């Protein structure tokens, strides 16, 4: 018997494999891992024991949550969502590839894992729905914040003059319009109609305070708002400014008319052109007519010249207004014509007032204008006397102490002769007033100045010469004479004062030197 000297040989044991043998391919298992990875938690990788890819899924989800939370009106950036979707898709594809030949650690059966994966998809879906609700609430709150900021802007603008606040009103209106048009279903948009009522009341506050002139521009601005805002958000506000603007234009124009301002024609013209059928427009012509009547009465008051100037201004302004007055055209044109005629007639009273105030030059011009206008209503005969007396009084102020009368004639003879080669107009005033012209003296000459300085100088003294003359009959008293060259002569007018007494015969002589002189 033979054998191994050391005893029986031990049995052969093969070496252990380094990893479990690959499982048979299983499509259901691959689908289960892919679906589990789509949850964003890397659970598919956990079931096939792939820790690193699972950690990467967690990290991607954590980054997304960090970016998305807390939810705000801006939402999650599109790039972040796109990137996360790519990560989930890669995790699903890669997980499916790994699980195709890798057994699950739990649960043992692939269909159960697939069912679990489908159920777990509710987690990201529910999260997405919750985030959507949170995002929607954040959007709503952001819109409400915009609405509140616009409200504050309107309130602050209401404490400033409209010219300063106009841009703020426009900015607030743009916010209201954007909410109403682009966010029509939002809670903020639902509050816009109420805000617009506050907006209109704030912008048009000057009207409520009876500050009619200040209210005009804000109300005009409000009439433009319907061009911007949807009608459903304005309702009756669309016509809200119209009656208020018509009233403001009338009240502002009427106040300027009564105060003698310059802008009433523009206010009334705007009213008649914009709201021709309104009740305030119907009041324009009567208001203008009343102002003309008031100015006519003022002609006989303490400032007739001011009243005349007012009537002339009224005539021109009303005439311009009548051309754009529509139905009130004829009535306004009649007022303009009457104001013009009354202004012409009122010049008589104005000239008398200027004469009595000692402004003889102005009085002469005013009365001459009255006479040339052909106006009635004054004493034209006396007006002609006032023109003469005013011209005399410019050289001899004492002649203007009393307003001339229309009296004529007297008991004292005064002869006025012309010792001058020039025609001479003689004006005189005193107890009586008048004027006449003497022809130039043929053969007479102008005296040298030295001649007039010699002792015994006496013009009109040649017994052989028949001087052009005129004989007057004047009352006793002081008469003031003015001799002035007639026509184109450059001789200077001369003046003289004659104290007429009974028992004398008076001679007044006109002569010329380098200027025109006189004596008697």
């Amino acid at each position: 018997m033979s054998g191994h000297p050391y005893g029986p040989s031990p049995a052969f044991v093969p070496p252990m494999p380094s990893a479990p043998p690959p499982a048979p391919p299983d499509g259901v298992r691959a689908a289960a891992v892919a679906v589990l990875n789509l949850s964003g938690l890397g659970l598919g990788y956990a079931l096939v024991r792939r820790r690193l890819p699972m950690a990467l899924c967690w990290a991607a989800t954590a980054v997304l949550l960090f970016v998305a939370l807390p939810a705000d009106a801006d939402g999650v950036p599109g790039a972040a969502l796109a990137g996360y979707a790519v990560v989930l898709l890669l995790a699903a594809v890669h997980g499916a590839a790994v699980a195709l030949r890798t057994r699950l650690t739990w649960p043992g059966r692939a269909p159960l894992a697939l069912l679990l994966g489908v159920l777990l998809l509710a987690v990201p879906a529910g999260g997405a729905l919750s985030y959507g609700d949170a995002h929607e609430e954040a959007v709503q709150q952001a819109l409400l914040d915009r609405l509140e900021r616009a409200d504050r802007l309107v309130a602050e603008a209401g404490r400033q003059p409209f010219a300063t606040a106009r841009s703020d009103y426009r900015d607030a209106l743009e916010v209201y319009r954007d909410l109403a048009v682009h966010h029509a279903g939002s809670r903020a948009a639902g509050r816009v109609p109420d805000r617009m009522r506050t907006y209109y009341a704030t912008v048009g506050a000057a009207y409520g305070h009876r500050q009619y002139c200040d209210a005009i521009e804000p109300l005009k601005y409000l009439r433009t708002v319907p061009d911007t805002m949807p009608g459903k958000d304005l309702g009756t506000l669309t016509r809200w400014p119209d009656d208020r603007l018509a009233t403001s234009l009338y009240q502002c124009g009427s106040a300027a008319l009564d105060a003698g301002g310059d802008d009433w024609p523009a206010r009334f013209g705007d009213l008649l052109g914009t709201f021709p059928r309104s009740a305030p427009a119907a009041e324009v012509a009567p208001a203008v007519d009343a102002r003309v009547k008031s100015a006519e009465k003022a002609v006989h008051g303490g400032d007739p010249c001011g009243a005349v100037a007012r009537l002339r201004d009224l005539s021109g302004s009303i005439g311009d207004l009548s051309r754009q007055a529509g139905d009130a055209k004829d009535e306004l044109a009649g007022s303009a014509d009457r104001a013009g005629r009354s202004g012409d007639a009122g010049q008589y009273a104005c000239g008398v007032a200027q004469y009595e105030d000692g402004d003889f030059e102005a009085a002469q011009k005013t009365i001459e204008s009255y006479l040339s206008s052909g106006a009635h209503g004054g004493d034209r005969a006396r007006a002609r006397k006032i023109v003469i007396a005013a011209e005399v009084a410019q050289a001899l102020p004492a002649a203007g102490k009393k307003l001339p009368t229309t009296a004529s004639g007297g008991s004292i003879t005064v002869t006025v002769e012309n010792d001058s080669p020039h025609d001479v107009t003689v004006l005189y005033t005193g107890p009586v007033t008048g004027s006449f012209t003497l022809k130039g003296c043929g053969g007479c000459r102008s005296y040298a100045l030295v001649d007039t300085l010699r002792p015994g100088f006496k013009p009109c003294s040649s017994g052989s010469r028949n001087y052009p003359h005129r004989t007057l009959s004047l009352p006793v008293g002081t008469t003031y004479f003015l001799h002035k060259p007639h026509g184109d002569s450059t001789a200077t007018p001369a003046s003289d004062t004659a104290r007429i007494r009974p028992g004398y015969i008076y001679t007044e002589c006109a002569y010329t030197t380098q200027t025109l002189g006189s004596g008697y």
Side-chain angles (χ1 to χ4, degrees), residues 177-263:
R177 189 199 67 80
D178 183 69
L179 292 174
V181 174
H182 298 116
H183 305 280
S186 66
R187 298 201 299 270
R191 300 178 186 181
V192 167
D194 286 339
R195 295 307 194 273
M196 290 310 301
R197 284 190 283 274
T198 302
Y199 184 84
Y200 270 66
T202 303
V203 175
Y207 177 84
H209 299 145
R210 298 181 181 273
Q211 298 170 351
Y212 296 112
C213 293
D214 292 338
I216 290 174
E217 289 306 315
L219 291 172
K220 285 184 175 181
Y221 165 78
L222 287 175
R223 295 187 78 226
T224 68
V225 171
D227 297 336
T228 301
M229 290 295 297
K232 64 181 180 61
D233 293 296
L234 295 179
T236 58
L237 291 176
T238 301
R239 309 302 299 175
W240 187 89
D242 292 354
D243 290 342
R244 291 167 173 80
L245 178 56
T247 300
S248 296
L249 287 169
Y250 174 76
Q251 293 292 346
C252 182
S254 181
L257 177 65
D258 292 340
D262 296 330
D263 60 344

Side-chain angles (χ1 to χ4, degrees), residues 18-33:
S18 60
D26 188 342
V28 175
R29 185 173 62 234
V33 171

